[in-house]
């Protein structure tokens, strides 16, 4: 009996070890197998001349996503295992062609309907006219004798007077509505100005609290921890390879030089080969780019763990929520 019980425990332990090993392997695959991406494109400064190609793969291309944009249209294709999904959006030219075909078909159908109605009217006109009965002749004679006669119930002067009264009432209602809209508009402006003034007064009252909150030693320590973790995350997410060629001009030499000085600050931190050619005399923009990179989920996990482990970050998060609710 004891031998049988030990055998059952041994089998259960082997099954649990296998399940645990599978879970560890899956976790390692998710954390350490990178998501590879590739972005390439070129442009001549126009929307029609801009082309972009983006490809994202994971787990040896078992999961794949491709996006192509060019000639004002976009196409995408995805693959999950051995199954592919395709889709996209037509360009404006293709939409114009299909709309033109639909319009021609609609015009032809409308012409056919007009021809059918024309034939029906011709048949009706060819049919013999019915002669009026004697009673109809009497009514026609009565109408011919008094062509300008008015009904006894509604004389012309009373009708004109009622029409003028209705017009005056309509004009008065329109003027009243316009006055109400103008007064409500000015009332809204007054309420908005009052709300802005109240917020400014409230902010000036809590300005000292905000300064004290930012200058607190615990909060400054939390901000420093978050800054370091963010820099490490960005280093891990930056692309490994890349080639960028940019030739641009803003039309104003001073403005072009100022923008080039701003790019020079970021230039040393960008990976890959980068070439920037400024044009000081003309306004233009063209370039090419080809960027490759990898994203590891372990970087996101370590970033989250660094923030969660820090006691200063957790306390600062609580203080921020409390400060926002009071503000």
């Amino acid at each position: 009996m004891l031998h049988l019980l030990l055998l059952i425990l041994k089998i259960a332990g082997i099954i649990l070890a296998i399940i645990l090993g599978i879970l560890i392997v899956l976790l390692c695959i998710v954390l350490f197998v990178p998501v590879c991406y590739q972005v390439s494109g070129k442009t001549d400064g126009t929307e029609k001349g801009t082309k972009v190609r983006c490809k994202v793969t994971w787990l040896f291309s078992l999961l794949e996503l491709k996006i192509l944009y060019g000639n004002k249209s976009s196409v995408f294709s995805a693959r999950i295992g051995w199954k592919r999904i395709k889709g996209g959006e037509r360009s404006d030219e293709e939409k114009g062609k299909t709309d033109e075909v639909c319009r021609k078909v609609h015009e032809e159908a409308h012409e056919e309907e007009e021809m059918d109605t024309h034939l029906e009217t011709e048949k009706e006109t060819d049919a013999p006219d019915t002669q009026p009965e004697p009673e109809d002749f009497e009514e026609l004679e009565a109408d011919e004798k008094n062509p300008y006669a008015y009904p006894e119930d509604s004389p012309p002067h009373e009708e004109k007077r009622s029409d003028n009264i209705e017009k005056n009432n309509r004009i008065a209602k329109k003027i009243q509505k316009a006055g109400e809209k103008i007064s409500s508009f000015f009332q809204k402006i007054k309420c908005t100005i009052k709300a802005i003034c109240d917020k400014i007064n409230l902010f000036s009252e809590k300005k000292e609290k905000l300064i004290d909150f930012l200058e607190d030693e615990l909060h400054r320590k939390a901000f420093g921890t978050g800054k370091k973790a963010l820099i490490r995350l960005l280093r891990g997410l930056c692309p490994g390879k890349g080639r960028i060629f940019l030739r641009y001009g803003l039309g104003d030499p001073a403005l072009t030089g100022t923008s080039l000085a701003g790019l020079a600050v970021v230039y040393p931190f960008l990976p890959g080969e980068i070439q920037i050619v400024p044009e000081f005399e003309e306004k233009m923009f063209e370039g090419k780019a080809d960027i490759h990179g990898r994203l590891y989920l372990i970087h996101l996990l370590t970033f989250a763990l660094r923030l969660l482990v820090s006691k200063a970050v957790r306390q600062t998060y609580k203080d921020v929520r409390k400060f926002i609710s009071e503000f």
Side-chain angles (χ1 to χ4, degrees):
M1 188 69 183
L2 183 61
H3 179 70
L4 183 61
L5 182 61
L6 292 174
L7 182 62
I8 294 171
L9 292 174
K10 183 180 178 181
I11 294 170
I14 293 171
I15 293 171
L16 289 174
I18 291 171
I19 294 172
L20 184 62
I22 292 170
L23 292 175
I24 291 172
V25 170
L26 291 175
L27 183 62
C28 291
I29 288 172
V30 171
L31 293 178
F32 296 102
V33 174
V35 178
C36 302
Y37 65 90
Q38 179 182 358
V39 181
S40 60
K42 63 178 181 179
T43 180
D44 58 356
T46 60
E47 186 180 359
K48 192 174 182 180
T50 302
K51 296 181 180 180
V52 181
R53 180 178 181 271
C54 180
K55 181 181 179 182
V56 181
T57 59
W58 184 68
L59 200 59
F60 308 105
S61 299
L62 190 63
L63 299 177
E64 185 181 65
L65 176 64
K66 291 182 181 180
I67 300 173
L68 302 175
Y69 176 81
N71 197 16
K72 297 182 180 181
S73 63
S74 59
V75 179
F76 74 90
S77 66
R79 185 175 71 179
I80 302 172
W82 292 269
K83 187 176 181 181
R84 282 192 173 273
I85 302 169
K86 294 183 179 181
E89 183 181 355
R90 296 176 300 169
S91 61
D92 295 336
E93 294 179 358
E94 294 176 354
K95 289 181 181 178
K97 290 179 182 178
T98 54
D99 293 340
E100 187 176 357
V101 172
C102 294
R103 183 175 55 80
K104 288 182 180 179
V105 173
H106 182 70
E107 288 179 356
E108 290 177 358
H110 186 64
E111 289 178 358
E112 291 179 358
E113 290 178 358
E114 287 183 351
M115 290 291 293
D116 294 337
T117 53
H118 183 66
L119 292 173
E120 289 177 359
T121 52
E122 286 182 353
K123 289 180 181 178
E124 291 176 357
T125 53
D126 293 338
D129 297 332
T130 56
Q131 294 180 358
E133 296 180 356
E135 294 178 358
D136 296 334
F137 280 114
E138 292 177 359
E139 290 178 359
L140 291 172
E141 289 176 359
D143 293 336
E144 288 177 358
K145 290 179 182 178
N146 298 318
Y148 300 101
Y150 289 93
E152 295 179 358
D153 296 336
S154 57
H157 299 289
E158 292 183 0
E159 288 183 355
K160 290 181 180 179
R161 189 178 299 170
S162 62
D163 292 339
N164 292 330
I165 293 169
E166 288 179 359
K167 288 181 181 179
N168 293 330
N169 291 332
R170 290 175 187 172
I171 294 169
K173 287 180 180 178
K174 289 181 180 180
I175 293 169
Q176 186 178 1
K177 287 182 179 179
E180 290 176 356
K181 288 181 180 179
I182 292 169
S183 62
S184 64
F185 177 73
F186 283 109
Q187 188 69 25
K188 288 180 181 178
I189 293 174
K190 184 179 178 181
C191 294
T192 305
I193 294 170
K194 186 179 179 181
I196 292 170
C197 293
D198 293 338
K199 288 183 179 179
I200 291 171
N201 294 329
L202 184 64
F203 182 77
S204 60
E205 290 175 358
K206 295 190 175 182
K207 183 179 178 181
E208 295 180 358
K209 292 184 179 180
L210 181 62
I211 293 171
D212 295 337
F213 180 83
L214 295 175
E215 291 181 350
D216 187 74
E217 187 177 356
L218 182 66
H219 299 161
R220 292 176 67 181
K221 185 179 179 181
F223 294 149
T225 304
K227 182 180 176 182
K228 290 179 181 178
L230 183 61
I231 290 171
R232 290 179 181 177
L233 177 64
L234 293 176
R235 286 178 181 175
L237 298 180
C238 281
K241 298 179 182 179
R243 291 182 180 180
I244 299 174
F245 171 76
L246 180 62
R247 184 166 173 260
Y248 78 100
L250 301 177
D252 186 4
L255 189 60
T256 304
T258 305
S259 63
L260 186 63
L263 290 173
V265 177
V266 189
Y267 185 84
F269 301 99
L270 296 176
E273 300 177 5
I274 300 173
Q275 185 179 0
I276 300 174
V277 180
E279 291 290 339
F280 295 95
E281 300 297 332
E282 56 179 339
K283 187 177 182 180
M284 53 97 62
F285 182 84
E286 63 181 14
K288 295 180 181 180
D290 188 10
I291 299 171
H292 301 257
R294 295 180 178 182
L295 302 176
Y296 291 89
L297 294 180
I298 188 66
H299 295 305
L300 297 174
L301 183 62
T302 53
F303 174 74
L305 288 175
R306 285 193 183 100
L307 296 181
L308 291 174
V309 169
S310 177
K311 185 178 178 180
V313 173
R314 295 199 305 269
Q315 186 62 38
T316 302
Y317 174 72
K318 294 178 182 178
D319 294 340
V320 167
R321 290 188 62 181
K322 185 178 178 181
F323 183 79
I324 291 172
S325 62
E326 290 178 356
F327 192 83

